[in-house]
Amino acid sequence: METYSELLPTDHWESDTLERRTATWQRWLQGDLTAIVAESGGQVVGVAFGSVGRKIGTHEPVRDRELWLLYVLEAHHGTGTGQALLDTALPPESPAQLWVVEENPRARRFYERNGFVPDGARFVDERLDLAEVRHVR
């Protein structure tokens, strides 16, 4: 995953096998979420998942809907692909929550342009040594 390559520890990439990733995606897709895929030239260039609000760590959900994942290949940043995925997963202006990597200023600016603001909730994924903050609208 291009966007997170420098944010995640090296040992994550050493253990992130195709088999492991396939099993993870199969588990995700069997859950209660809506998956949206963006294509360009016959290639998948982005994906978004919308779901019911989830408890993360000790933080109960504060909105009924959540953007659970939004990812766009780096070559398609700035093309409107991410915006189209977000608007499809969560209609504009609809109340929702999302968790975003604290040290990902590009993503945080994108969400803030779409009406999301940090609400003070923070969670550290100890497995990945990665801090996330919740944004709501």
Side-chain angles (χ1 to χ4, degrees):
M1 307 256 292
E2 301 167 329
T3 301
Y4 296 106
S5 62
E6 296 190 18
L7 296 174
L8 294 171
T10 304
D11 63 342
H12 168 77
W13 300 113
E14 293 168 355
S15 65
D16 192 35
T17 64
L18 178 59
E19 294 79 16
R20 183 175 149 210
R21 187 167 293 231
T22 299
T24 298
W25 277 77
Q26 286 173 334
R27 187 177 68 254
W28 287 346
L29 293 171
Q30 292 171 358
D32 182 27
L33 56 82
T34 302
I36 300 106
V37 175
E39 293 182 50
S40 178
Q43 176 188 11
V44 173
V45 299
V47 62
F49 293 165
S51 73
V52 298
R54 301 172 297 152
K55 180 178 180 180
I56 300 293
T58 61
H59 303 285
E60 295 291 338
V62 294
R63 299 289 189 270
D64 291 336
R65 296 295 302 161
E66 179 173 343
L67 180 68
W68 195 65
L69 177 143
L70 190 148
Y71 184 80
V72 175
L73 291 175
E74 189 173 10
H76 293 269
H77 288 183
T79 65
T81 301
Q83 188 67 57
L85 286 166
L86 176 61
D87 291 348
T88 303
L90 300 172
E93 309 304 322
S94 64
Q97 68 180 38
L98 59 86
W99 290 85
V100 61
V101 174
E102 188 172 43
E103 297 300 322
N104 189 342
R106 180 184 180 92
R108 293 183 71 176
R109 283 191 308 270
F110 171 78
Y111 295 127
E112 289 167 9
R113 280 194 313 269
N114 281 278
F116 288 92
V117 294
D119 73 348
R122 184 175 188 268
F123 172 75
V124 177
D125 183 333
E126 293 179 7
R127 183 178 48 89
L128 297 175
D129 192 28
L130 203 62
E132 297 179 84
V133 291
R134 184 172 57 201
H135 283 55
V136 298
R137 72 171 179 200

